[in-house]
Amino acid sequence: IEILSTLRNASGQLISGWTETQGSSNQDYSMTSSLVYDWYRGQTKTLYPIWVTPVTLTFDANGGEGDVPSPIETYYQGQFDIPAVSLTKEGYVFAGWAWESNATYSVYENGSTNNGYYESDGKSTLYAVWAVPRTITFDSNGGDGEVPASISTYYEGRFEVPSANLTKAGYTFLGWSFTKNLTSTYGGGDIYESGDTRGYGYNADKTLYAVWGAPVTITFDMNDGTGTSLGTATASFGESFNFPTKPTRAGYEFRGWDYKQNAEYPNWGTSTTSDTSRFISGNATIYAQWEVLSNQVYVGSLTSSELAAIQEVWSGKSSLSQISDRTLIQSMYDNNIHSRFGVNVYLNDVKLGLNRTSNSSYGFNYDTNYAKLSTNTYVFEFENALPTGWKLVNYRYEVQAQGDVTIVDGKARATVNYSYIESFADPSDNLFLMFVLPSMPAESTSVGINISAAPGNVIDKLVTGDSSFEWNYFLQTGFLIEIYDGENNLLWLGNPSSSNEGKVSYRFATGTYKLRIYTTNVVGFRIYSAADASLITGQDVSSVTHGDNYSEVTFNYTFADGNPDMILLFSMADVSDLTKLERMDVSSDFCGPYNIVGNWFKGMVSAMGLAYTDMSDADKNYAGYCGMLMQEYFNGSICKIPSFGIYTENGKIIENSENLVLELGVECTIKFAEEVKEVMLLGNDSMSVNSITNITYNEATGTWDATFSVSESTMLMFLTADLDLSQYEDLPAYDAATDYSEYLQGS
């Protein structure tokens, strides 16, 4: 029984679907649903229409000539078809329809069907999109015969690959490629065959070159391993070839095979015995891939009392199932106890990439990093000088090794001569290299405190639970906060950031505490109850005093049973207009050397048609080469955020924070601790790119300074001094004949 779908009510509304509950807007049956009689034999089934107000869509030629489609009636989340039309505009090609008159790419294709209408703001005019025509020419690439005539398309348009009858002695014509001398389709590269309909992802004219295939001799390289070699295999493109049996190598695990000597992710797995060749011509080598035997070791810290407490939980237990009360383990997971501070790991002075995973059963959450450690000497660097030593523990927190730390440039370092532990080969066994921190006061004689800072009028919003903005992002200032005792001994420190939800946590017993925050932009100090955010008054707290680059208060605290945990907030100067605030982001993925990260990013947005549209094809290809270096050789290791602070007329408001809030239209000064050649601002809404290159060195502060303001939610990118590529011996040189455009697509 087909469900009637053409009714209108007296108000002219349309039916968007049907519901079994009268008055409900939740759709049980769509406009294309059917009811099967046998499902409801003997029942009475009543369906009620869901009425929606229709929207009339009109079409605008947007400066073009020709007849546009007649108006179409639809509704929010409804479907509609667009009739195919022929429109023209001198110097352009018709690319489809979009909701903005200045759109550079289409939302709907010409003649498309079953389109969804999801414009909640009621947009009802579709504008013709006019694209710059792009020409694809064909090159026989050394072959004989007549190549197809050039064809015209446009960026993000589609084209059909024409047929061709080409020959070349000793070779087979396989199709076409934008890479002139394509030798394989492994790791990128594509062959366009006659009759294919393909998308065009280039904002420039391009040439398709004939691809000539021939039998390829494949050599298997054990790559320092041993095993029974097949010597070589011969296969043409599309033919099958066999692999040797699994090789072995002392101290390493076999990971598979790859056409690169040392691939991050092998193309063929450990169980592969044969495959279809994607090699096109010439000779090829396939290498055995190895990973040094290593343990997964978490890195982080605990106080000595926290370590003692979790060791007590595990005392006499050999498995998690034997622990009936897991409150402490869950608290460690919930409160990010293991990773309150950052740890870097170095091997031969090279910083290792760390990974993240969660294991709530043992208290580790997704903010807890781990390193892969093999038999070697490693240096672990803590972000500050708090640690008193280090310990290597297993998942039961039993100590496997321990040692002292040294303080270098204000950071604790542990040098560890590590040996691979075969009994911990399974990552789930969990090893933990922890820095030991000074203990906090006992819970029985102290209260918990969280310390942070925010503008005074933002604090008012936070404590009242105002939901009109994400006010908590103001707490992630990144400022260093230090806690001293009455004799000026450093007890604890930290930086409010995204990793600790914008707070530095500690405990107060009876005593005198000095709280210092490294900004002079502090006008007051407030104390709130952590239980209900009520203001606590009558405490013995000094007025705020200021040093050269910090502000501080002295707090004489008296503990008593029943005292609430507290939130201590340094009150900064008010934001002038709370209605003009936007979140900003700084991503390490888009920060780094100007000549690598900067070139790659500009080429990427140029290929997308967002900015730098006048970039030459040669410059864009070189940008793709830079992207290849980042992705395949540096693996993101050169991407980092330089140390920075952001200032307004009130003083410093942010320091080294990846998530921040700025007031629209307010001029800010950003100061970098190292040379920065360019600051780029990518508008999250408009996708516009603004560049700041007027960056000057300030001798008085030893910083590189720039001024800027923002008009919308923005991602900030910092391009630092050029990277000297000559120091890397294994980097491939730029080859202008190679097409690197794949490294600009969808990055």
Side-chain angles (χ1 to χ4, degrees), residues 339-660:
S339 47
R340 289 168 293 196
F341 300 101
V343 179
N344 291 321
V345 185
Y346 296 85
L347 175 62
N348 298 326
D349 295 326
V350 177
K351 182 179 176 180
L352 302 184
L354 300 181
N355 303 285
R356 293 184 179 183
T357 187
S358 174
N359 193 333
S360 59
S361 299
Y362 298 97
F364 299 106
N365 68 12
Y366 280 107
D367 285 326
T368 310
N369 291 321
Y370 70 86
K372 302 282 282 187
L373 303 186
S374 59
T375 300
N376 228 313
T377 299
Y378 297 89
V379 173
F380 296 79
E381 183 182 71
F382 202 71
E383 72 170 57
N384 57 51
L386 280 178
T388 58
W390 64 269
K391 296 180 186 293
L392 178 69
V393 300
N394 62 14
Y395 66 92
R396 296 188 298 275
Y397 291 86
E398 297 169 330
V399 178
Q400 311 294 299
Q402 59 187 320
D404 299 324
V405 297
T406 57
I407 307 301
V408 180
D409 295 330
K411 298 180 179 181
R413 288 187 179 182
T415 300
V416 180
N417 295 313
Y418 188 82
S419 296
Y420 170 70
I421 306 174
E422 187 173 359
S423 60
F424 287 90
D426 186 344
S428 64
D429 289 333
N430 287 330
L431 287 166
F432 178 33
L433 191 291
M434 52 169 286
F435 283 88
V436 181
L437 304 175
S439 290
M440 299 183 189
E443 290 190 20
S444 59
T445 60
S446 65
V447 296
I449 63 164
N450 291 322
I451 313 174
S452 194
N457 52 350
V458 170
I459 294 176
D460 295 336
K461 296 289 187 180
L462 280 166
V463 298
T464 57
D466 189 303
S467 60
S468 61
F469 188 76
E470 297 171 296
W471 305 106
N472 58 302
Y473 279 97
F474 270 98
L475 299 176
Q476 300 173 25
T477 60
F479 293 137
L480 174 63
I481 293 176
E482 296 174 336
I483 305 172
Y484 295 85
D485 65 15
E487 297 179 354
N488 217 34
N489 297 308
L490 179 65
L491 301 175
W492 200 258
L493 52 78
N495 306 76
S497 64
S498 59
S499 64
N500 55 27
E501 298 180 340
K503 61 182 183 290
V504 175
S505 300
Y506 193 66
R507 301 195 68 83
F508 272 8
T510 297
T512 298
Y513 299 91
K514 184 168 66 177
L515 310 180
R516 177 178 292 179
I517 184 169
Y518 279 84
T519 177
T520 57
N521 179 23
V522 173
V523 296
F525 186 76
R526 306 189 198 180
I527 307 170
Y528 293 92
S529 167
D532 57 11
S534 60
L535 185 66
I536 297 176
T537 59
Q539 297 294 313
D540 185 2
V541 182
S542 72
S543 58
V544 177
T545 59
H546 299 92
D548 289 339
N549 60 347
Y550 63 85
S551 306
E552 64 183 23
V553 296
T554 300
F555 195 154
N556 294 307
Y557 181 73
T558 302
F559 172 78
D561 288 336
N563 281 3
D565 291 342
M566 297 182 293
I567 302 171
L568 311 181
L569 294 174
F570 287 96
S571 178
M572 301 163 61
D574 286 352
V575 172
S576 60
D577 191 341
L578 292 175
T579 67
K580 295 182 178 180
L581 302 175
E582 282 288 356
R583 278 190 56 193
M584 309 290 159
D585 298 292
V586 182
S587 172
S588 60
D589 291 341
F590 296 95
C591 296
Y594 177 89
N595 60 331
I596 303 296
V597 179
N599 274 329
W600 163 74
F601 177 79
K602 293 173 183 179
M604 182 179 67
V605 296
S606 177
M608 296 169 64
L610 298 177
Y612 305 102
T613 53
D614 58 347
M615 183 179 283
S616 69
D617 290 346
D619 287 344
K620 278 189 283 190
N621 197 50
Y622 185 78
Y625 164 74
C626 294
M628 181 271 294
L629 293 181
M630 290 173 58
Q631 297 169 43
E632 295 196 4
Y633 288 87
F634 294 117
N635 194 26
S637 63
I638 62 172
C639 297
K640 66 181 182 70
I641 301 173
S643 178
F644 70 94
I646 296 179
Y647 297 72
T648 65
E649 60 182 8
N650 295 317
K652 185 162 59 175
I653 60 171
I654 293 160
E655 185 169 61
N656 297 329
S657 179
E658 297 184 31
N659 303 303
L660 46 109

